[in-house]
Amino acid sequence: MSWRSERKDYDMKETLSIGEISALFHLNVQTLIYYDSIGLLVPAERNPMNGYRRYRFDQIYKLAAIRYLHRLGYSLKEIHSSYLESCDINFTLEQLKKQSCILREKAENLLNTDRAIQQKIHFIEQELPNVDMERVSIKEFPERHYFAIGGEELLYGDDSFYLNPTVVFYKDDSKYFGAYLFDDGENFNLQKERADFLRFPVIPAGSFLCGYHQGAYEHIRESACRIRDARKDLDLSDITINFNIIDQFVERDSKSYITEVQIPIIENEEHRARLLCL
């Protein structure tokens, strides 16, 4: 049967079964039953003996509008409660403009989330090949920016903790957290172009005594002491900066967590003063 004759058959019918409507719109029958249950698309006829539903042919236009609006991001509640009842050219154009703004905002939020995810991926892929658990070395780093989160009581309610590499600052018996803005090239440069980027706190550039800790975070201070003891000849800051490379988001076993421990090397009094701002 050609599409022309098939269309003619539909046009000749006054009503369509729920199966025919389902096939016509590629919708699950249960979806149409649900639309009926909430009053969104009520069949024109219902057989009192078996409950079979039949729809007037012109109801396909209403169903097409429902699918169109749902595809545009409107909830079924919004479609049912306001949109279909108020639909005219002026109302529709105004609502479509508003919906376009909402969708653009959602799209930008999704892109920002994806950039953060890409940063985390690139950070792990770049750092992991360099891990040597026995090595203690001096590394040079430029200024590095991060989102300040705060204490552990604030950590788990901050979205940046879940999306960005985590940096943890230890000093004496206290610690606080940040989300590292890893320089992965394009994504990082996009963030630098944002007007508020310069307001992010900075880890000052300089030399750092670096080593690695493997295992649960409760024992990380022991690794920091080991790294400090390896170079007692250096003037080291009392701040320890830890970058989580393998964490609970990518590894279930805490014994396999890997953290790079970085201890700033004091270069001069000005440098010491900058580190005190961390």
Side-chain angles (χ1 to χ4, degrees):
M1 181 182 293
S2 72
W3 69 269
R4 288 183 177 86
S5 59
E6 193 173 336
R7 178 182 176 182
K8 183 178 179 182
D9 286 345
Y10 278 124
D11 288 346
M12 291 176 63
K13 292 184 176 183
E14 293 184 1
T15 63
L16 300 173
S17 71
I18 192 170
E20 290 173 319
I21 292 283
S22 170
L24 190 62
F25 282 87
H26 304 288
L27 278 175
N28 191 292
V29 168
Q30 293 302 318
T31 299
L32 292 169
I33 293 174
Y34 178 68
Y35 286 178
D36 180 13
S37 71
I38 63 175
L40 183 60
L41 185 71
V42 178
E45 301 174 9
R46 191 190 309 271
N47 189 311
M49 300 297 295
N50 54 29
Y52 287 174
R53 298 166 172 83
R54 295 198 68 84
Y55 298 81
R56 292 191 315 275
F57 184 83
D58 63 2
Q59 285 187 283
I60 67 173
Y61 306 126
K62 182 175 182 179
L63 182 54
I66 292 169
R67 291 205 68 189
Y68 169 70
L69 294 169
H70 199 36
R71 179 67 182 83
L72 293 184
Y74 290 96
S75 69
L76 294 180
K77 182 178 180 180
E78 289 172 325
I79 296 170
H80 183 37
S81 64
S82 59
Y83 201 104
L84 291 178
E85 299 301 323
S86 307
C87 188
D88 61 38
I89 182 63
N90 294 324
F91 175 83
T92 299
L93 288 177
E94 183 63 27
Q95 291 301 310
L96 290 179
K97 289 175 183 178
K98 289 181 180 178
Q99 188 68 359
S100 177
C101 291
I102 292 171
L103 292 175
R104 287 173 182 271
E105 183 176 349
K106 288 181 178 179
E108 183 60 31
N109 289 335
L110 287 173
L111 284 174
N112 288 335
T113 300
D114 181 57
R115 291 184 192 117
I117 291 171
Q118 290 300 319
Q119 280 192 319
K120 191 172 183 70
I121 292 170
H122 293 159
F123 177 71
I124 294 172
E125 290 180 339
Q126 176 175 299
E127 297 299 318
L128 198 55
N130 300 322
V131 172
D132 182 344
M133 300 308 303
E134 302 302 321
R135 184 182 180 191
V136 175
S137 61
I138 296 175
K139 297 181 181 179
E140 298 287 334
F141 291 102
E143 286 188 345
R144 291 170 289 175
H145 292 80
Y146 63 95
F147 292 103
I149 296 176
E152 198 156 14
E153 72 279 3
L154 301 173
L155 183 64
Y156 303 104
D158 194 305
D159 287 345
S160 56
F161 164 66
Y162 298 96
L163 297 174
N164 297 76
T166 306
V167 56
V168 190
F169 301 86
Y170 285 82
K171 183 177 180 181
D172 300 326
D173 293 328
S174 63
K175 62 180 177 180
Y176 66 96
F177 295 82
Y180 176 41
L181 292 174
F182 171 60
D183 186 353
D184 64 345
E186 181 179 353
N187 287 329
F188 180 75
N189 289 331
L190 283 172
Q191 294 195 63
K192 284 188 71 174
E193 292 172 4
R194 293 171 52 186
D196 61 349
F197 186 84
L198 294 178
R199 294 203 293 270
F200 297 151
V202 172
I203 301 172
S207 301
F208 293 76
L209 183 64
C210 302
Y212 294 94
H213 167 77
Q214 182 170 359
Y217 302 130
E218 297 83 59
H219 306 294
I220 204 164
R221 295 182 189 274
E222 298 169 17
S223 293
C225 290
R226 170 179 57 82
I227 294 166
R228 288 177 181 275
D229 289 343
R231 293 297 304 270
K232 292 183 178 180
D233 57 309
L234 297 174
D235 185 8
L236 299 174
S237 170
D238 57 357
I239 296 172
T240 301
I241 306 172
N242 301 317
F243 290 84
N244 294 347
I245 300 173
I246 301 298
D247 57 21
Q248 66 268 37
F249 301 121
V250 295
E251 174 57 60
R252 63 182 179 182
D253 186 356
S254 63
K255 294 178 181 178
S256 299
Y257 295 172
I258 295 177
T259 304
E260 183 172 17
V261 178
Q262 299 180 4
I263 305 168
I265 301 171
I266 305 297
E267 298 174 355
N268 50 51
E269 290 306 313
E270 181 183 351
H271 186 225
R272 188 191 302 275
R274 291 203 304 272
L275 290 170
L276 290 175
C277 296
L278 287 174

PDB file of all heavy atoms in Angstrom, residues 51-65:
ATOM      1  N   GLY A  51     -14.033  -1.058  27.312  1.00  0.00           N
ATOM      2  CA  GLY A  51     -13.157   0.074  27.609  1.00  0.00           C
ATOM      3  C   GLY A  51     -12.315   0.537  26.440  1.00  0.00           C
ATOM      4  O   GLY A  51     -11.471   1.422  26.592  1.00  0.00           O
ATOM      5  N   TYR A  52     -12.496  -0.030  25.251  1.00  0.00           N
ATOM      6  CA  TYR A  52     -11.694   0.360  24.100  1.00  0.00           C
ATOM      7  C   TYR A  52     -11.931   1.830  23.775  1.00  0.00           C
ATOM      8  O   TYR A  52     -13.057   2.315  23.751  1.00  0.00           O
ATOM      9  CB  TYR A  52     -12.055  -0.486  22.875  1.00  0.00           C
ATOM     10  CG  TYR A  52     -11.539  -1.909  22.949  1.00  0.00           C
ATOM     11  CD1 TYR A  52     -11.898  -2.836  21.964  1.00  0.00           C
ATOM     12  CD2 TYR A  52     -10.717  -2.339  23.990  1.00  0.00           C
ATOM     13  CE1 TYR A  52     -11.428  -4.140  22.013  1.00  0.00           C
ATOM     14  CE2 TYR A  52     -10.253  -3.647  24.049  1.00  0.00           C
ATOM     15  CZ  TYR A  52     -10.610  -4.542  23.072  1.00  0.00           C
ATOM     16  OH  TYR A  52     -10.147  -5.833  23.134  1.00  0.00           O
ATOM     17  N   ARG A  53     -10.834   2.524  23.502  1.00  0.00           N
ATOM     18  CA  ARG A  53     -10.874   3.950  23.220  1.00  0.00           C
ATOM     19  C   ARG A  53     -10.867   4.193  21.717  1.00  0.00           C
ATOM     20  O   ARG A  53     -10.142   3.522  20.971  1.00  0.00           O
ATOM     21  CB  ARG A  53      -9.671   4.659  23.856  1.00  0.00           C
ATOM     22  CG  ARG A  53      -9.596   4.571  25.364  1.00  0.00           C
ATOM     23  CD  ARG A  53      -8.220   4.993  25.845  1.00  0.00           C
ATOM     24  NE  ARG A  53      -8.119   5.114  27.301  1.00  0.00           N
ATOM     25  CZ  ARG A  53      -7.898   4.090  28.115  1.00  0.00           C
ATOM     26  NH1 ARG A  53      -7.745   2.860  27.619  1.00  0.00           N
ATOM     27  NH2 ARG A  53      -7.830   4.275  29.423  1.00  0.00           N
ATOM     28  N   ARG A  54     -11.620   5.204  21.285  1.00  0.00           N
ATOM     29  CA  ARG A  54     -11.564   5.651  19.896  1.00  0.00           C
ATOM     30  C   ARG A  54     -11.494   7.175  19.890  1.00  0.00           C
ATOM     31  O   ARG A  54     -12.101   7.851  20.717  1.00  0.00           O
ATOM     32  CB  ARG A  54     -12.762   5.150  19.084  1.00  0.00           C
ATOM     33  CG  ARG A  54     -12.811   3.635  18.924  1.00  0.00           C
ATOM     34  CD  ARG A  54     -13.725   3.225  17.786  1.00  0.00           C
ATOM     35  NE  ARG A  54     -13.216   3.613  16.487  1.00  0.00           N
ATOM     36  CZ  ARG A  54     -12.325   2.897  15.774  1.00  0.00           C
ATOM     37  NH1 ARG A  54     -11.827   1.777  16.276  1.00  0.00           N
ATOM     38  NH2 ARG A  54     -11.938   3.327  14.594  1.00  0.00           N
ATOM     39  N   TYR A  55     -10.738   7.707  18.957  1.00  0.00           N
ATOM     40  CA  TYR A  55     -10.478   9.139  18.872  1.00  0.00           C
ATOM     41  C   TYR A  55     -11.035   9.686  17.568  1.00  0.00           C
ATOM     42  O   TYR A  55     -10.931   9.036  16.513  1.00  0.00           O
ATOM     43  CB  TYR A  55      -8.971   9.411  18.926  1.00  0.00           C
ATOM     44  CG  TYR A  55      -8.310   8.962  20.203  1.00  0.00           C
ATOM     45  CD1 TYR A  55      -7.954   7.624  20.392  1.00  0.00           C
ATOM     46  CD2 TYR A  55      -8.034   9.865  21.222  1.00  0.00           C
ATOM     47  CE1 TYR A  55      -7.349   7.195  21.567  1.00  0.00           C
ATOM     48  CE2 TYR A  55      -7.419   9.460  22.395  1.00  0.00           C
ATOM     49  CZ  TYR A  55      -7.081   8.116  22.562  1.00  0.00           C
ATOM     50  OH  TYR A  55      -6.490   7.706  23.719  1.00  0.00           O
ATOM     51  N   ARG A  56     -11.623  10.895  17.635  1.00  0.00           N
ATOM     52  CA  ARG A  56     -12.020  11.563  16.400  1.00  0.00           C
ATOM     53  C   ARG A  56     -10.775  11.860  15.567  1.00  0.00           C
ATOM     54  O   ARG A  56      -9.690  12.119  16.109  1.00  0.00           O
ATOM     55  CB  ARG A  56     -12.747  12.878  16.695  1.00  0.00           C
ATOM     56  CG  ARG A  56     -14.095  12.753  17.346  1.00  0.00           C
ATOM     57  CD  ARG A  56     -14.814  14.100  17.330  1.00  0.00           C
ATOM     58  NE  ARG A  56     -13.946  15.197  17.714  1.00  0.00           N
ATOM     59  CZ  ARG A  56     -13.723  15.562  18.994  1.00  0.00           C
ATOM     60  NH1 ARG A  56     -14.294  14.898  19.991  1.00  0.00           N
ATOM     61  NH2 ARG A  56     -12.934  16.585  19.264  1.00  0.00           N
ATOM     62  N   PHE A  57     -10.952  11.873  14.278  1.00  0.00           N
ATOM     63  CA  PHE A  57      -9.805  12.123  13.413  1.00  0.00           C
ATOM     64  C   PHE A  57      -9.173  13.476  13.710  1.00  0.00           C
ATOM     65  O   PHE A  57      -7.944  13.615  13.709  1.00  0.00           O
ATOM     66  CB  PHE A  57     -10.220  12.060  11.933  1.00  0.00           C
ATOM     67  CG  PHE A  57      -9.050  12.221  11.000  1.00  0.00           C
ATOM     68  CD1 PHE A  57      -8.237  11.151  10.672  1.00  0.00           C
ATOM     69  CD2 PHE A  57      -8.734  13.476  10.464  1.00  0.00           C
ATOM     70  CE1 PHE A  57      -7.151  11.304   9.839  1.00  0.00           C
ATOM     71  CE2 PHE A  57      -7.643  13.635   9.626  1.00  0.00           C
ATOM     72  CZ  PHE A  57      -6.855  12.555   9.302  1.00  0.00           C
ATOM     73  N   ASP A  58     -10.000  14.498  14.014  1.00  0.00           N
ATOM     74  CA  ASP A  58      -9.414  15.817  14.242  1.00  0.00           C
ATOM     75  C   ASP A  58      -8.637  15.907  15.552  1.00  0.00           C
ATOM     76  O   ASP A  58      -7.943  16.899  15.803  1.00  0.00           O
ATOM     77  CB  ASP A  58     -10.488  16.912  14.164  1.00  0.00           C
ATOM     78  CG  ASP A  58     -11.569  16.772  15.243  1.00  0.00           C
ATOM     79  OD1 ASP A  58     -11.471  15.842  16.076  1.00  0.00           O
ATOM     80  OD2 ASP A  58     -12.506  17.588  15.243  1.00  0.00           O
ATOM     81  N   GLN A  59      -8.715  14.877  16.400  1.00  0.00           N
ATOM     82  CA  GLN A  59      -7.929  14.887  17.639  1.00  0.00           C
ATOM     83  C   GLN A  59      -6.435  14.667  17.380  1.00  0.00           C
ATOM     84  O   GLN A  59      -5.608  14.917  18.257  1.00  0.00           O
ATOM     85  CB  GLN A  59      -8.448  13.828  18.627  1.00  0.00           C
ATOM     86  CG  GLN A  59      -9.754  14.219  19.300  1.00  0.00           C
ATOM     87  CD  GLN A  59     -10.150  13.239  20.383  1.00  0.00           C
ATOM     88  OE1 GLN A  59     -10.639  12.141  20.094  1.00  0.00           O
ATOM     89  NE2 GLN A  59      -9.955  13.626  21.651  1.00  0.00           N
ATOM     90  N   ILE A  60      -6.118  14.175  16.168  1.00  0.00           N
ATOM     91  CA  ILE A  60      -4.689  14.006  15.870  1.00  0.00           C
ATOM     92  C   ILE A  60      -3.990  15.361  15.824  1.00  0.00           C
ATOM     93  O   ILE A  60      -2.791  15.454  16.112  1.00  0.00           O
ATOM     94  CB  ILE A  60      -4.453  13.235  14.546  1.00  0.00           C
ATOM     95  CG1 ILE A  60      -4.919  14.050  13.333  1.00  0.00           C
ATOM     96  CG2 ILE A  60      -5.099  11.867  14.577  1.00  0.00           C
ATOM     97  CD1 ILE A  60      -4.543  13.404  12.010  1.00  0.00           C
ATOM     98  N   TYR A  61      -4.723  16.439  15.512  1.00  0.00           N
ATOM     99  CA  TYR A  61      -4.089  17.755  15.478  1.00  0.00           C
ATOM    100  C   TYR A  61      -3.741  18.219  16.893  1.00  0.00           C
ATOM    101  O   TYR A  61      -2.698  18.840  17.117  1.00  0.00           O
ATOM    102  CB  TYR A  61      -5.008  18.765  14.788  1.00  0.00           C
ATOM    103  CG  TYR A  61      -5.451  18.320  13.418  1.00  0.00           C
ATOM    104  CD1 TYR A  61      -6.803  18.262  13.087  1.00  0.00           C
ATOM    105  CD2 TYR A  61      -4.522  17.935  12.463  1.00  0.00           C
ATOM    106  CE1 TYR A  61      -7.219  17.833  11.834  1.00  0.00           C
ATOM    107  CE2 TYR A  61      -4.938  17.497  11.206  1.00  0.00           C
ATOM    108  CZ  TYR A  61      -6.281  17.448  10.899  1.00  0.00           C
ATOM    109  OH  TYR A  61      -6.675  17.006   9.676  1.00  0.00           O
ATOM    110  N   LYS A  62      -4.634  17.913  17.841  1.00  0.00           N
ATOM    111  CA  LYS A  62      -4.340  18.253  19.229  1.00  0.00           C
ATOM    112  C   LYS A  62      -3.150  17.444  19.733  1.00  0.00           C
ATOM    113  O   LYS A  62      -2.259  17.979  20.417  1.00  0.00           O
ATOM    114  CB  LYS A  62      -5.557  17.993  20.111  1.00  0.00           C
ATOM    115  CG  LYS A  62      -5.336  18.378  21.572  1.00  0.00           C
ATOM    116  CD  LYS A  62      -6.603  18.212  22.404  1.00  0.00           C
ATOM    117  CE  LYS A  62      -6.357  18.655  23.845  1.00  0.00           C
ATOM    118  NZ  LYS A  62      -7.578  18.517  24.676  1.00  0.00           N
ATOM    119  N   LEU A  63      -3.119  16.152  19.392  1.00  0.00           N
ATOM    120  CA  LEU A  63      -1.992  15.320  19.821  1.00  0.00           C
ATOM    121  C   LEU A  63      -0.689  15.800  19.187  1.00  0.00           C
ATOM    122  O   LEU A  63       0.366  15.800  19.837  1.00  0.00           O
ATOM    123  CB  LEU A  63      -2.242  13.852  19.464  1.00  0.00           C
ATOM    124  CG  LEU A  63      -1.172  12.853  19.890  1.00  0.00           C
ATOM    125  CD1 LEU A  63      -0.885  12.956  21.382  1.00  0.00           C
ATOM    126  CD2 LEU A  63      -1.588  11.433  19.523  1.00  0.00           C
ATOM    127  N   ALA A  64      -0.758  16.229  17.938  1.00  0.00           N
ATOM    128  CA  ALA A  64       0.436  16.774  17.287  1.00  0.00           C
ATOM    129  C   ALA A  64       0.928  18.022  18.024  1.00  0.00           C
ATOM    130  O   ALA A  64       2.142  18.201  18.217  1.00  0.00           O
ATOM    131  CB  ALA A  64       0.135  17.100  15.827  1.00  0.00           C
ATOM    132  N   ALA A  65      -0.019  18.866  18.460  1.00  0.00           N
ATOM    133  CA  ALA A  65       0.370  20.067  19.212  1.00  0.00           C
ATOM    134  C   ALA A  65       0.994  19.693  20.550  1.00  0.00           C
ATOM    135  O   ALA A  65       1.977  20.300  20.990  1.00  0.00           O
ATOM    136  CB  ALA A  65      -0.854  20.956  19.423  1.00  0.00           C
TER     137      ALA A  65
END
